[in-house]
Amino acid sequence: MRNTLRQALVAHQLDEQITARFPVGQRLRVLDVGVGQGTQALRLARAGHEVTGLESDATMLETARTALADEPEGIRGRVRLIEGDGRETGAHFLPGTFDVVLCHGVLYVPEPDPLLAGLARVLAPGGLLSLLVRNGDALAMRPGLAGDWDTTLTAFDSPSYSNRLGLRVRADRREKLTSTLTAIGAPLRAWYGVRVFTDLAPDDAEPPGSPEWERLLAAEERAGRTDPYRAVAALLHLCGVRG
C-alpha cells in the first residue's frame, strides 16, 4: 500500500506540474534517474512521451526491463533503459537534452549537490525537475508515533535515519533543498507532502478495496498540499523549473 500510494500521489502531482508548464499534447523528453521498477517511466511513455531510464542497480534495471517487455511495441519504442549512475549524467547526455528530469528516492547520497547540478545541466530551459526525498524535517514522526522515544529524540538533531532495510541513509530538509535548487538554476516552483497519514503502514499491507482506497487517496492528496500537514509528511515532492 505504501508504495502504491506514493506512486499514485506523485503521478498526480507530476501531471499537474507538466500540464502547467507544457502545451497539451507536446511529446516531452523525460529522464528518470533511478528508474527502479519503472512505474513512472512506463506511465509517462504510455502518455506518449520519450523516456530514458537511468539505473545503477542491475537487479532493479532487470526488473524495469521485464516490465517494459510486457508493454505494446509502440510503448517499448519510446523507452530507453541505461545502466549508469545518476551522478554521471554528464557522461551520458548533452546539456539541455531533457524537458523533464525525475529523481525519486535517489538523493540520499552523502554529497547530493553535484548530482543535482548535473540534473539541472541536462534540463532544457523551462524544463521541470522533480525530486522525491525523505523529509528531514519530520524524521521524528515515525518513531514518535511508534513510541520509540530514544530514536525520536535522536531524530530531532540528526539528518540521517535507518530505513526499513536497516540501512543508515540521509534525509533532506526543504529549506536547504530550496537554496540548492536556486543555486543550480532550477528554483523551486511547487512542493507537496507524500504520505502524511499512512507512513506507519506495514510493509506487506495491501491497498484497501474501493471505495475506501479512493477516500484514503483523497485524504492524502488533500493533506499533501495543505499546511501544516504537508510539512510533516514522510516524503517531500519538490518541483523546480530551469531558468
Side-chain angles (χ1 to χ4, degrees):
M1 182 186 73
R2 293 168 66 255
N3 183 59
T4 301
L5 179 67
R6 183 191 80 168
Q7 298 290 2
L9 291 171
V10 170
H12 187 263
Q13 296 158 0
L14 184 59
D15 287 349
E16 181 176 81
Q17 293 302 312
I18 288 175
T19 299
R21 308 279 166 209
F22 302 101
V24 175
Q26 179 178 342
R27 178 172 288 187
L28 301 175
R29 302 163 298 166
V30 180
L31 173 64
D32 189 350
V33 174
V35 69
Q37 60 191 8
T39 301
Q40 296 298 331
L42 293 177
R43 188 185 68 83
L44 290 167
R46 294 184 197 114
H49 305 302
E50 300 284 343
V51 182
T52 299
L54 188 65
E55 179 58 62
S56 61
D57 186 284
T59 300
M60 294 305 299
L61 187 62
E62 187 58 33
T63 299
R65 285 173 172 157
T66 299
L68 179 61
D70 291 334
E71 296 290 329
E73 181 179 354
I75 295 173
R76 293 199 306 271
R78 289 197 290 271
V79 179
R80 180 172 58 139
L81 297 175
I82 301 173
E83 186 169 1
D85 194 304
R87 291 167 290 189
E88 300 171 353
T89 50
H92 297 282
F93 313 111
L94 294 173
T97 299
F98 299 100
D99 303 302
V100 178
V101 172
L102 314 182
C103 182
H104 296 169
V106 176
L107 210 61
Y108 52 77
V109 296
E111 297 294 334
D113 288 4
L115 167 60
L116 288 171
L119 300 184
R121 176 181 174 274
V122 299
L123 263 180
L128 177 67
L129 176 59
S130 170
L131 305 176
L132 186 69
V133 302
R134 186 74 188 179
N135 184 5
D137 292 320
L139 289 180
M141 290 297 293
R142 182 190 289 174
L145 291 172
D148 181 352
W149 306 122
D150 289 339
T151 302
T152 301
L153 291 169
T154 300
F156 284 114
D157 303 310
S158 173
S160 63
Y161 70 102
S162 294
N163 65 16
R164 292 184 179 237
L165 299 176
L167 302 176
R168 198 71 184 167
V169 292
R170 189 186 57 79
D172 288 278
R173 299 186 183 277
R174 180 169 55 88
E175 184 177 1
K176 173 64 166 61
L177 272 181
T178 299
S179 297
T180 300
L181 288 172
T182 299
I184 63 175
L188 183 70
R189 295 298 176 88
W191 69 278
Y192 309 87
V194 176
R195 287 208 315 256
V196 176
F197 303 124
T198 54
D199 195 49
L200 281 182
D203 289 345
D204 59 354
E206 294 293 330
S210 183
E212 184 181 353
W213 171 250
E214 285 75 18
R215 291 197 297 265
L216 186 159
L217 192 60
E220 285 279 9
E221 173 68 32
R222 179 76 176 270
R225 59 181 67 238
T226 303
D227 292 322
Y229 306 102
R230 62 177 179 165
V232 295
L235 308 173
L236 297 177
H237 182 197
L238 298 94
C239 298
V241 175
R242 185 82 164 111

